[in-house]
Amino acid sequence: HTGTTRTSEVRFPPDFGWGMATASYQIEGAVAEDGRTPSIWDTFSRIPGAVMNGDTGDVACEHYHRMPDDVALLADLGATTYRFSVAWPRVRPDAGPVNAAGLGFYDRLVDELLGRDIAPWLTLYHWDLPQVLEDAGGWTNRDTVDRFVEYAISVHEALGDRVPTWTTLNEPWCSAFLGYSAGHHAPGRQEGAAGLVAGHHLLLAHGLATQELRSRGADRLGLSLNLTVPDPSDPSDPVDVDAARRIDGLHNRFFLDPIFRGAYPADVLEDTADLTWQGSPWYDVVGDGDLATIATPIDVLGVNYYHGNEVSGHPRTDVVGMGADHPDRVSLSPFVGSEHVTFPSRGLPVTAMGWEIQPDGLHRLLRRLHDDYPRLPIHLTETGAAFDDRVGADGRVHDPDRIAFLDSYLRAVHRAIEEGVDVRGFFQWSFCDNFEWAFGYAKRFGLVHVDYATQRRTPKSSAHWYSELARTGVLPATEPPGR
Ligand code: PNW
């Protein structure tokens, strides 16, 4: 164990959900089978320099063909719940009529999970927008909202009887701002205010789909937001404090406030007032009644958290990765209207993504949600870490850094629970190594190692550790090294 402090044993509530998460484009492969047509990630990954090493999701983990074995492995590892996403271009190729063959895959997956007592947790949109919709403007086109709702209904008609939890979107911040402002994710557009417009349409799609699925009997609905914890470099410097407020506004409150308070934050509207879309203020895309739709009540908030950041309003060179930086492509700032903001290093240890390891940020985030927003059940729908994992001479993968990471983040969750925050479960990102978006196969987040040449799966030592945790609900006491 690589922790540096002595910790005591902690026990999670007996009904706490222990899960692992994946997403369709990142693991399935089989991109042209059974009627699937291209998504924006199939297109984007073919742009030279867009994805590290020219990687694509064409084959990925071949999960589409190995699904029953993968579910058996999930069960062996003790998962009590599994978070996966459905590929829109399989279910409605080219956003057209329902494709029974594509839907059939998810039908079998759900049955396979239920047969092994693993509760399915379904995400409708984890970034694989049908390319034909992008050709018509993608998430900047309001018509995409209605197409999403049609798609959501068709998935619910097929699986609504067996899937207890439905989340509409995964991380709309990434879809909107990395996709349409920074250009670091598909569709790779670098159009400033387009991120705000896309963000609004994503939220509207969430609200409308929530209403539709609710009226069809879905009883646990929500979405997953990736939230951050911005700390001003110098809390006594108004420039740094303002920078931290801006990042909190664009990253957190731009999504939380419409959903839970029915309004965009006034300061964000002020910061972005000069940004135009098709010749008008961007805010003109917000129609009458949109905010009420977005504020449709949900039952569970999915929180994805990897790290917070120190934030400065001054030019700095000692910066850490916010995720949106790899050597092959120039990515713009996703923080439209606040492009001057920098993210200085605090000197904390980092993962292979360059992301700071900061468990106390997770504790503070959970407390903040509890204090500032309606207290609905929270589920950690992602946390995890990439490290440079290798199969050793003994055929095993030793990843003590990942165990220490998960131990520390889970202690932060446990502390929040003890303080009264209603956290119901945890999904480790990710079940297996997979296509890590702009980083391709270069970054490994899995509990299970994947050898892409042979598709061999090798549970890492963290997988065995996690499976013991899922069985007992107890994080054992740890000692610093050398004792
Ligand atoms: C999330 N950033 O992605 C996603 O939900 C997962 O699909 C992904 O594999 C995981 O986190 C690890 O990255 C993100 O650039 C990708 O800030 C990039 C960023 C944030 C989240």
Side-chain angles (χ1 to χ4, degrees), residues 169-185:
L169 308 177
N170 175 68
E171 304 191 351
W173 180 84
C174 291
S175 303
F177 294 106
L178 297 182
Y180 291 85
S181 298
H184 169 72
H185 278 182

Side-chain angles (χ1 to χ4, degrees), residues 26 126-127 170-171 178 306 322-323 355 382 429 436-437:
Q26 295 183 272
H126 200 128
W127 309 353
N170 175 68
E171 304 191 351
L178 297 182
Y306 291 86
M322 271 300 283
W355 295 350
E382 284 182 24
W429 183 270
E436 177 50 29
W437 307 116

Side-chain angles (χ1 to χ4, degrees), residues 100 164 254 311 332:
F254 185 83
V311 180
L332 304 183

Side-chain angles (χ1 to χ4, degrees), residues 41 58 75-76 89 135 145 187 193 220 235 259 305 308 323-324 334 345 379 383 394 397 399 420 443 454 480:
W41 273 96
D58 286 3
D76 283 350
D135 295 341
V145 174
R220 198 145 72 125
I259 291 169
Y305 175 86
S345 167
H379 227 93
T383 201
D394 57 357
V397 181
D399 58 343
K443 305 292 177 191
T454 61

